Amino acid sequence: MNRTKSLWRKLTYLAILLAMLIPLFLLGQPSGGKGDPGGQLSVMRHEYNIAESDLGEISPASETMKLASLGMRGVAATLLWNKAHTYKVMHEWDRLKATLNNIALLQPHFDKVWEHQAHNLAYNVSTEFDDYRQRYEMVREGTEFLTRGVRQNTNAPRLVWYTGWFYGQKLGMSDEKVQFRRLFSDDEVLHEALLAEDIAVDSPEARGPLGKPDNWLVGRLWLNHGYEIVDSGVKIRRQTPLNFYETGPKWRIKHAESIESEGILDERAQNAWQMADDDWLGFGNRSIPTTSPFTIKLNHLEDLENQRDEKIEEFRQLNKEAFAAARQARIDSLPDAIREYWQKPESELTPEQRQLMPSIIKGLVPDLATLAKTSDESVRLESVSIAGQVKDLNARIQKTIGYRNQINYAYWKTLAQAEQEERTVTARRLIYEAEQANKNAELDKAIELYEQAFVVWAEIFDDYPLLTIDDTAEDLFTSVRRYMVAIDSQEIPEDFPLATFVNMMGEFGQVDARMYETVRQESKIAAEKRRLELEEEEKKRQDEADKIDAAEDASKPDQSASEKSDSENSEKTPKLGDGATDGDKAAASGKAEPEGEAANNDTGGDDDQPAAQEGTKPADASEQE
């Protein structure tokens, strides 16, 4: 009996174990690839990106490293990080690379590993070499290391973004950027590797004006790949959405700046800026998540402000008397200095006062929520609703302004718009050619090109004052100083088109766009005022001259018409010497002599020729004899 019970108990346990194996098998079934997601655990590993879950994608070396660490991967990784630092200090580059590979095998899904070690190779190790070609090789090692990381972390948008940032920033902004950009454009081995990662370096989107892959554009393709991952539903980790989405469009701008600095100053540069403007506009129209429970669009600030103004006007129409009284109370509370120029006509305001007016007007809007609570019962509900909408719009406006200022959105937008104009490309080309002529000691040519460029730049700065804070401003100021050396002058000419810009750069070392606009407007106003003063002075001098002439005419005795005629004839008659003949006198006076006398005085010339012409000096008497 006891044996029978023991047997049944064992059979029961066996049945329970078999029953438990079925759900464990279903939960832990690996992915079969080609659309087979596998069991629930495999799906979760793939969703959270915590292990290689696709059949054939498991790294045997990585799994071996994990088993060899006996469950102490953290300790093993720490030891390897310490070894990597030691090898870097000792310049043991081969051992360093091997150690980094082992770290990646232990922590393949910790994207900070890939970022840090790629940065270490490209920024720290590369500086140990003297030859720029060797430095480029280490930079390429860093890019390949990042590519491996992206391959093992397909749903890591931050790592993809960092790869795109790396291609642009390290290759395009380092001290060796000229050499690095050229080496990258000719690096066919790297191009093939990028094609294998679905980065279309052979497409027009990646090729520069010379028909070769451009590092800025290739970096932009990586960034766009990261944007696609996020748009598919993957969350951005360890980075703000604003910075994440900003980089791709900015790489377009950097590409246009780079090709211009390399001497490409024609319609190709203009097209590059047009595409940069399109990308920046697309970024401005993208919905950006914020720390508040709403998204914003950086390019919709004006629309939000218009909506707010419309809602405020609706509220005012519902509560005219209360709104007017509250507004007047705010006006009365203004400081005397502000109230004084607030009441002036706009034409009498200074540029600084005009800039302050929008903020003053905004401050005069009453507290709508408070007014809504005391409004008439018939419109109270609607007033409260409008006040809430205005509050929400104000929050969106403030967040939009803050995010725009954080990345200087308006500046980059203005830059892209201004640079795509033909005159801007022409101005840059003139400066470039002037610098080349100056290097070649062709001073006359350089001076002429400088002067042409300065006129165009003055027009550009007048239309786009924001460009005075661009990096180009410093280069332009350097060109101005070279121009002054070329003309051998310590002072700029009085009619110099960039006088305001040069004076501000010389005094402050930089130009504030608002200050430049203010000074320029004040200079224009002063110049116009001076012109009117000069015209008034000239008019007064003319009036005084006319009065003097009129007084002189009035003081002369009246002459008869005949006397005036005789006087005029006498003034026209040339004076003749005493030796002149009667015929000469008659001819000079315009009176005809008798034919006989004329014939007697004729010296043998043609009969049709007059004896003397008006304005001709008469002959002496001895010559006539």
Side-chain angles (χ1 to χ4, degrees):
M1 189 69 180
N2 291 333
R3 291 181 179 179
T4 304
K5 289 183 178 180
S6 177
L7 177 62
W8 280 108
R9 190 166 50 249
K10 291 178 181 179
L11 291 175
T12 303
Y13 292 158
L14 180 61
I16 292 173
L17 289 174
L18 292 175
M20 292 177 63
L21 288 176
I22 295 174
L24 288 175
F25 172 77
L26 295 176
L27 287 173
Q29 184 180 7
S31 172
K34 297 182 180 179
D36 181 12
Q40 183 63 31
L41 293 177
S42 177
V43 172
M44 293 177 66
R45 285 194 297 266
H46 180 75
E47 180 180 355
Y48 293 102
N49 198 24
I50 59 176
E52 297 88 351
S53 56
D54 290 336
L55 190 62
E57 294 296 326
I58 299 176
S59 171
S62 179
E63 296 302 316
T64 302
M65 287 285 294
K66 295 173 186 177
L67 291 174
S69 65
L70 300 177
M72 294 185 294
R73 282 194 297 166
V75 176
T78 301
L79 293 174
L80 288 174
W81 279 86
N82 185 50
K83 275 191 174 184
H85 177 71
T86 302
Y87 291 145
K88 185 188 76 171
V89 173
M90 297 174 60
H91 295 189
E92 296 283 350
W93 310 127
D94 292 336
R95 292 185 178 182
L96 172 63
K97 290 168 61 177
T99 305
L100 296 180
N101 289 333
N102 290 334
I103 295 174
L105 292 174
L106 275 176
Q107 300 175 307
H109 300 293
F110 182 30
D111 51 6
K112 195 65 179 176
V113 173
W114 305 99
E115 294 179 17
H116 179 84
Q117 297 302 348
H119 184 278
N120 191 25
L121 288 170
Y123 285 85
N124 299 328
V125 177
S126 64
T127 58
E128 302 294 336
F129 296 93
D130 294 330
D131 194 325
Y132 70 86
R133 287 178 289 267
Q134 291 177 309
R135 290 198 291 271
Y136 173 77
E137 288 299 323
M138 296 311 300
V139 172
R140 192 173 74 168
E141 289 280 352
T143 61
E144 291 176 349
F145 197 77
L146 280 174
T147 304
R148 285 177 49 202
V150 171
R151 193 183 307 126
Q152 295 196 37
N153 299 272
T154 55
N155 289 330
R158 158 72 189 188
L159 188 57
V160 178
W161 175 91
Y162 188 79
T163 306
W165 180 88
F166 201 92
Y167 273 93
Q169 204 275 345
K170 181 55 185 175
L171 294 174
M173 297 184 68
S174 61
D175 294 337
E176 311 91 345
K177 59 185 177 183
V178 176
Q179 293 84 1
F180 282 1
R181 279 174 51 79
R182 185 180 68 250
L183 289 172
F184 174 81
S185 64
D186 296 330
D187 194 345
E188 296 181 359
V189 176
L190 182 56
H191 300 164
E192 292 295 330
L194 289 170
L195 285 172
E197 300 297 329
D198 294 330
I199 302 299
V201 295
D202 56 346
S203 68
E205 289 290 313
R207 294 188 178 274
L210 300 181
K212 297 181 179 181
D214 186 277
N215 70 290
W216 291 110
L217 299 181
V218 171
R220 174 179 169 273
L221 292 181
W222 275 107
L223 294 165
N224 287 344
H225 178 49
Y227 300 157
E228 292 172 359
I229 294 175
V230 175
D231 292 341
S232 67
V234 179
K235 293 184 178 180
I236 303 172
R237 295 184 299 109
R238 298 193 300 107
Q239 191 173 16
T240 62
L242 181 65
N243 181 249
F244 182 80
Y245 287 116
E246 168 205 17
T247 314
K250 188 174 286 185
W251 267 203
R252 274 281 198 193
I253 295 175
K254 293 297 183 181
H255 162 70
E257 290 179 340
S258 296
I259 64 175
E260 284 189 332
S261 66
E262 294 167 353
I264 298 177
L265 297 160
D266 49 25
E267 65 278 357
R268 292 174 294 178
Q270 194 171 354
N271 292 335
W273 279 110
Q274 289 173 354
M275 290 186 289
D277 184 41
D278 293 340
D279 269 25
W280 195 252
L281 182 61
F283 166 57
N285 292 329
R286 176 186 283 272
S287 293
I288 305 294
T290 67
T291 53
S292 299
F294 53 77
T295 62
I296 62 170
K297 295 182 179 181
L298 300 179
N299 204 43
H300 288 198
L301 177 61
E302 186 176 351
D303 294 339
L304 291 174
E305 291 176 338
N306 290 336
Q307 293 176 27
R308 180 189 61 187
D309 294 342
E310 291 175 359
K311 291 298 179 181
I312 292 175
E313 180 61 22
E314 289 182 20
F315 188 95
R316 190 188 70 81
Q317 293 295 334
L318 293 174
N319 306 271
K320 291 183 178 180
E321 295 182 359
F323 189 95
R327 188 172 187 272
Q328 186 60 44
R330 288 180 175 251
I331 294 174
D332 296 338
S333 64
L334 288 174
D336 294 338
I338 295 179
R339 190 187 309 113
E340 180 182 354
Y341 72 76
W342 180 79
Q343 297 174 346
K344 289 182 180 179
E346 185 177 356
S347 58
E348 298 180 7
L349 297 177
T350 64
E352 293 180 351
Q353 292 172 348
R354 289 194 186 95
Q355 292 178 359
L356 292 174
M357 285 304 296
S359 61
I360 295 174
I361 294 174
K362 178 182 175 182
L364 298 179
V365 177
D367 184 357
L368 302 187
T370 303
L371 289 180
K373 294 177 182 179
T374 59
S375 60
D376 188 81
E377 292 184 359
S378 60
V379 295
R380 183 176 301 170
L381 183 60
E382 186 176 359
S383 298
V384 171
S385 175
I386 294 176
Q389 295 176 38
V390 171
K391 181 180 179 181
D392 178 69
L393 287 170
N394 279 328
R396 293 175 182 272
I397 290 171
Q398 292 302 318
K399 186 66 68 173
T400 303
I401 292 175
Y403 275 45
R404 282 166 63 101
N405 293 338
Q406 185 176 336
I407 62 170
N408 213 349
Y409 177 82
Y411 163 74
W412 294 108
K413 180 180 179 180
T414 303
L415 179 66
Q417 291 175 345
E419 292 286 355
Q420 64 182 293
E421 292 189 14
E422 184 177 355
R423 63 174 178 175
T424 311
V425 177
T426 300
R428 292 191 180 277
R429 177 177 53 79
L430 290 171
I431 287 291
Y432 182 84
E433 293 176 353
E435 295 291 348
Q436 296 298 317
N438 196 13
K439 289 180 181 179
N440 298 330
E442 300 175 0
L443 294 184
D444 292 339
K445 180 180 178 181
I447 291 171
E448 181 181 357
L449 291 170
Y450 276 135
E451 292 175 347
Q452 294 177 18
F454 295 155
V455 172
V456 182
W457 273 116
E459 296 176 358
I460 296 170
F461 284 166
D462 287 349
D463 294 338
Y464 301 100
L466 202 60
L467 294 188
T468 54
I469 66 174
D470 185 30
D471 293 339
T472 306
E474 295 184 6
D475 297 334
L476 184 61
F477 185 61
T478 301
S479 297
V480 171
R481 287 186 291 187
R482 289 180 181 145
Y483 164 76
M484 295 173 65
V485 172
I487 64 175
D488 193 19
S489 174
Q490 298 295 329
E491 301 291 337
I492 60 175
E494 293 182 0
D495 57 346
F496 191 67
L498 290 173
T500 302
F501 168 77
V502 173
N503 291 333
M504 295 183 68
M505 286 291 290
E507 183 176 356
F508 304 107
Q510 61 182 1
V511 177
D512 181 83
R514 292 186 178 180
M515 186 183 298
Y516 177 84
E517 177 68 11
T518 300
V519 173
R520 188 180 67 85
Q521 291 291 344
E522 291 177 350
S523 299
K524 281 190 173 182
I525 293 172
E528 180 65 17
K529 183 178 179 181
R530 181 56 181 164
R531 185 185 65 82
L532 296 175
E533 290 176 354
L534 292 175
E535 290 181 354
E536 187 66 24
E537 292 176 1
E538 181 63 25
K539 185 178 180 181
K540 289 180 179 179
R541 286 195 295 268
Q542 186 64 37
D543 292 341
E544 292 176 357
D546 292 342
K547 291 179 180 178
I548 293 173
D549 293 341
E552 290 178 352
D553 292 341
S555 63
K556 292 180 180 180
D558 295 338
Q559 297 178 344
S560 62
S562 59
E563 289 176 347
K564 288 183 180 181
S565 177
D566 293 340
S567 175
E568 291 174 357
N569 291 334
S570 64
E571 289 176 359
K572 293 180 180 178
T573 303
K575 297 181 180 179
L576 301 178
D578 295 336
T581 63
D582 294 336
D584 293 331
K585 294 178 180 180
S589 63
K591 297 180 181 179
E593 288 184 307
E595 293 182 1
E597 293 178 0
N600 292 335
N601 291 329
D602 194 357
T603 58
D606 296 335
D607 294 339
D608 297 333
Q609 185 176 357
Q613 296 179 355
E614 184 178 359
T616 301
K617 183 178 179 180
D620 292 338
S622 60
E623 292 177 353
Q624 290 183 1
E625 293 175 355

